[in-house]
Amino acid sequence: MNPSTAMATVVVDELVRNDVRHVVLCPGSRNAPLSFALFEARDRLRLHVRVDERAAGFLALGLARATGRPAAVVCTSGTAVANLHPAVLEAHHSGVGLLLITADRPPELHGTGANQTIDQRGIFGSAAVAVDFPVAEHRAGLNPVWRGLVCRGVARAETGRPVQLDIPFREPLVPTFGDEWPDSLQGRPGGARWTTWSAQRTPPGNRVDFALPARALMVVGSGDPVRARAAAAVAAKAGWPVIAEPVGAAAAVSGGARVLRGGPLLLSGELPDGLRPDAVVVVGRPTLSRGVRGLMDRAPVIGIGDHPQWTDPQYVATHVRSWLDDDDLAHAERPDPAWLAGWLEAETAAATAVDKLLGEQPWPTGLHVARALVDALPSGAALFLGSSNPVRDVDLVADHRADVAIYANRGVAGIDGNLSTAAGVALGAGVPGYALVGDLTFLHDTNGLLIGPGEDRPDLTVVVLNDDGGGIFSLLEQGAAEHKAAFERVFGTPHGVDLAALCAAHGVPHTLAASHAEFAAALRPAPGLRVVEIRADRDRLRDLHARLRAAVAGALR
């Protein structure tokens, strides 16, 4: 056994022993030793092969999100490594553990002009923990080193960090036979890890030690669902209404809180005096609503999130703590029944106004699609929401469902890699998967549809709201009438792509749903990967949202 084969075999065996269940492999030459070792271990882990490193990185991200375990992605040297960077950044800012196993050239080839050679050690900077392997040599004593480094990498990934294992390989890169290895390459008896470790799982000590007013409003964003559930239980007992973004709503509902439907619309205008909070308790990282950000400028803000890197981009927080649960109720003032009742009355009025307005609009709009999709999901399904308008449409008008797991890439909120992340979620969760994305998000990751005939295919229905361009910009400042001359060319960016033909090229079933009834029929659970396209008109988008905000504001007066 040559040194490269020996090291790769030991690394893969130790990954299995460390409960790394999913590995995404991209083909290459320098990572050939790992490819052979993974193929031999395919019955001990789930191996996924993809040809595009960027898509592979996001697939691993989705697998890690759904399983709660670090997933690994393996690639060759050079720009292949750089293509993992978007997924690494999303994982870093979302607190998701990823293992980036990057094959490298040996040191003697660096700086020589050797093919496909870059300085890739620590290429991800502060976004990933770097673990550098030594070059394998034909000598005794290396088995503990290789296994120990894998354990260190997995241990860091289990804390919610991306970790790069950079592994240099010398030729030969394919298995050779005949040479005996100088000592044993076996792991610990009974399949145990070489080094075990245990993370601290008790609630942090950074607890609330100040008064919590009765007239508080809680906002739940993305982040640790355990933290959100514990904080929501406090809101339930303290009589606080809760506004939760889609990715945090299930945790808030399961914590017993009264989560308001259409919360961002309630905050889109000036609040009546009776609904103005004495404090806003922000749990996690809210990123979707300008109304929430505006509210945080007008009331004291208490942050419950990661410490010391808390979420406070406006620098308005008065207190930040890492935990809030029933033990902190001693600091809460006696509940004011009129406070929650007032918000529930406002919610009912706003919902009536929204239902009336949407009922008057011709099908389809993004708001119609978001509501219909969430209503139609089977219990236990997983829903991935693309960045830009889809996640916001769900936030505005869809009901909250505790029986549906909702995912989104809100760490850095990019539109790259969304199809691959959704596929990873569906494969990792093992439940019917759905994704709602815009057309540009879909086109950004069409390699997510590229799945070889021998690979596991996700049970994933991708719903594409196709308005032929960047609809979200219609709702921003650049979508105002005074910018009309420049808008379509540099923001609207129409593309005219035939999505049906694109899907056919990938062998993916495609349905064009022209009515609500056709859309409902297309959403019935079915195995495999499929795309449901809905075509909408961008021209009406800005006016519709303006009328929606006006209708809710009028209902609250």
Side-chain angles (χ1 to χ4, degrees), residues 46-104:
R46 290 186 68 179
L47 178 63
H48 311 271
V49 180
R50 296 295 187 271
V51 299
D52 174 12
E53 283 80 10
R54 187 178 76 163
F58 279 102
L59 177 65
L61 174 69
L63 289 163
R65 283 188 186 278
T67 62
R69 291 289 307 156
V73 57
V74 178
C75 71
T76 194
S77 61
T79 58
V81 182
N83 276 295
L84 298 178
H85 209 156
V88 173
L89 291 172
E90 176 61 36
H92 171 74
H93 288 281
S94 297
V96 177
L98 279 186
L99 289 167
L100 318 154
I101 304 177
T102 56
D104 204 348

Side-chain angles (χ1 to χ4, degrees), residues 134-147:
V135 179
E137 301 173 284
H138 194 273
R139 65 177 178 84
L142 291 176
N143 181 48
V145 175
W146 298 334
R147 292 185 183 276

Side-chain angles (χ1 to χ4, degrees), residues 272-480:
D273 290 342
L275 299 183
R276 292 178 184 174
D278 293 331
V280 180
V281 180
V282 179
V283 181
R285 184 167 176 257
T287 58
L288 297 179
S289 169
R290 290 189 175 188
V292 168
R293 293 197 297 274
L295 177 69
M296 291 162 62
D297 280 332
R298 301 192 298 270
V301 173
I302 299 166
I304 306 297
D306 293 328
H307 182 80
Q309 188 175 347
W310 60 79
T311 299
D312 183 27
Q314 297 159 276
Y315 298 94
V316 295
T318 56
H319 303 285
V320 174
R321 298 294 185 270
S322 59
W323 202 260
L324 177 69
D325 62 22
D326 284 356
D327 290 344
D328 301 305
L329 282 169
H331 298 285
E333 294 179 0
R334 184 184 299 275
D336 178 359
W339 173 242
L340 181 58
W343 275 97
L344 296 181
E345 183 180 346
E347 176 192 40
T348 300
T352 301
V354 170
D355 293 345
K356 181 177 184 298
L357 182 63
L358 288 185
E360 295 168 351
Q361 305 306 307
W363 172 275
T365 67
L367 299 173
H368 284 122
V369 172
R371 175 177 285 188
L373 173 60
V374 172
D375 286 346
L377 293 177
S379 182
L383 172 63
F384 181 88
L385 297 175
S387 300
S388 300
N389 277 339
V391 66
R392 290 175 170 85
D393 289 342
V394 169
D395 195 31
L396 289 175
V397 301
D399 287 332
H400 300 298
R401 293 186 55 180
D403 63 335
V404 171
I406 296 183
Y407 301 84
N409 283 346
R410 298 310 303 171
V412 285
I415 67 170
D416 45 352
N418 279 211
L419 297 188
S420 296
T421 307
V425 166
L427 285 168
V431 299
Y434 293 80
L436 175 61
V437 299
D439 48 302
L440 294 186
T441 298
F442 181 80
L443 293 173
H444 248 268
D445 193 25
T446 53
N447 275 353
L449 304 177
L450 183 54
I451 304 174
E455 300 303 310
D456 290 342
R457 300 181 76 81
D459 294 331
L460 176 64
T461 302
V462 180
V463 178
V464 185
L465 183 72
N466 183 4
D467 56 11
D468 194 29
I472 192 169
F473 297 115
S474 302
L475 305 178
L476 302 178
E477 289 82 357
Q478 53 263 58

Side-chain angles (χ1 to χ4, degrees), residues 364-365 465-467 535-542:
T365 67
L465 183 72
N466 183 4
D467 56 11
R535 293 177 185 165
D537 183 1
R538 266 191 293 121
D539 291 341
R540 297 182 291 139
L541 191 57
R542 189 178 183 89

